[in-house]
Amino acid sequence: MTESVDQYDQVATAFADVEAIISFVRENLEWPSFKDLLGDLRGLRVLDVGCGEGSFTRRIKQLGAAQVVGTDLSPGMIALAQQAEARNPQGITYEVQDLAAMPPQGEFDVVTAIHVLHYADTRKTMQTMANTMHANLKPGGKLAILSANANSSEESETAAGFRTYRPANPKEGDKFKVAVLTTPPTEIEVHHWPTETIVEVLETAGFTNVSWDLVKPSETVAPADQDRAARCAKNPTSLTITATKP
């Protein structure tokens, strides 16, 4: 997954501009929906795969998790996460690891994956990712995923500050570009994965109770932001998935 390493190292160099765009949908839809999915983390061990610069990882720790480990295949993103940890120590460990080739890190109570699965270039790669997440959970552990919605609307994307360039009638694994609307736009390449395929892959890995839901605006959205949040929620850019290791 060298391409993902290279493009996210490039994003890391201009992350402040990207952050200014993505923060709206993250604060008003993604994090509130994901937080509800996580539930009570007090005293639990959490592995956050594909943690990027650690924005969600830090929030997970602040929910009371006893131990949090963040992994990402981009050295640039891990460097940003480690810098944030140095500025405000929370006891989070960050490591450069590729989810598609990562050895077992231990048995965690919860494994989280935020916008990771759409980097799988083939179903085999995604299956390896799912198998790895399963292997890092203890029996009874929870998997919590925030993933791209393969059917997001142009209205929601524009309101969120994105633009996608999917091919017509995309097939599983088809590559396409997503542009974050910075100046100039910041482009990354991802792959098309229908939600039904992700569910199948997780079940093949041994997960049970697999369910998903679209992200929704928080009840605390500021009055001035409610119209934009509502547009973001019209077939939104992301969804949540949860599953259990028996």
Side-chain angles (χ1 to χ4, degrees):
M1 298 178 68
T2 304
E3 292 178 357
S4 293
V5 176
D6 292 342
Q7 65 181 347
Y8 264 96
D9 282 347
Q10 294 172 9
V11 169
T13 63
F15 190 76
D17 292 337
V18 174
E19 171 73 7
I21 298 294
I22 68 175
S23 61
F24 182 87
V25 71
R26 183 185 64 206
E27 300 299 329
N28 291 291
L29 287 88
E30 290 187 337
W31 173 245
S33 297
F34 196 66
K35 181 181 177 183
D36 288 345
L37 188 74
L38 288 173
D40 188 359
L41 296 182
R42 287 175 294 180
L44 301 185
R45 300 180 68 227
V46 182
L47 174 64
D48 184 23
V49 298
C51 67
E53 93 302 344
S55 61
F56 275 78
T57 321
R58 291 186 289 275
R59 293 165 189 246
I60 289 167
K61 186 68 171 70
Q62 290 161 7
L63 291 178
Q67 179 188 9
V68 178
V69 177
T71 66
D72 198 276
L73 82 173
S74 166
M77 284 296 188
I78 288 294
L80 289 177
Q82 291 172 335
Q83 290 164 17
E85 174 68 16
R87 289 192 301 270
N88 181 20
Q90 298 186 41
I92 301 171
T93 301
Y94 293 104
E95 299 178 0
V96 178
Q97 295 278 5
D98 182 351
L99 179 57
M102 185 175 73
Q105 305 296 298
E107 287 195 332
F108 291 82
D109 300 289
V110 180
V111 170
T112 57
I114 294 96
H115 291 311
V116 176
L117 297 184
H118 56 198
Y119 296 111
D121 53 353
T122 65
R123 184 186 273 244
K124 181 179 179 180
T125 300
M126 184 179 287
Q127 190 66 63
T128 300
M129 291 177 167
N131 293 346
T132 299
M133 292 187 292
H134 188 273
N136 279 281
L137 273 171
K138 72 177 189 181
K142 174 190 280 189
L143 175 67
I145 293 172
L146 182 67
S147 188
N149 176 14
N151 299 308
S152 58
S153 67
E154 183 175 343
E155 180 178 7
S156 70
E157 292 166 5
T158 302
F162 299 90
R163 180 64 56 82
T164 62
Y165 299 94
R166 293 186 184 92
N169 302 312
K171 301 184 294 295
E172 287 185 1
D174 277 355
K175 183 187 291 185
F176 65 97
K177 288 185 177 181
V178 176
V180 181
L181 302 180
T182 54
T183 304
T186 302
E187 294 185 343
I188 58 172
E189 289 186 334
V190 297
H191 297 266
H192 175 76
W193 292 109
T195 305
E196 295 77 9
T197 299
I198 298 174
V199 170
E200 289 176 9
V201 166
L202 294 175
E203 291 176 340
T204 300
F207 286 103
T208 59
N209 304 317
V210 183
S211 62
W212 66 272
D213 198 6
L214 298 173
V215 298
K216 300 176 178 63
S218 167
E219 294 180 357
T220 60
V221 174
D225 293 329
Q226 287 181 357
D227 178 69
R228 183 181 175 186
R231 285 184 285 119
C232 286
K234 291 183 179 178
N235 211 351
T237 56
S238 33
L239 51 82
T240 60
I241 306 172
T242 188
T244 304
K245 179 176 179 175

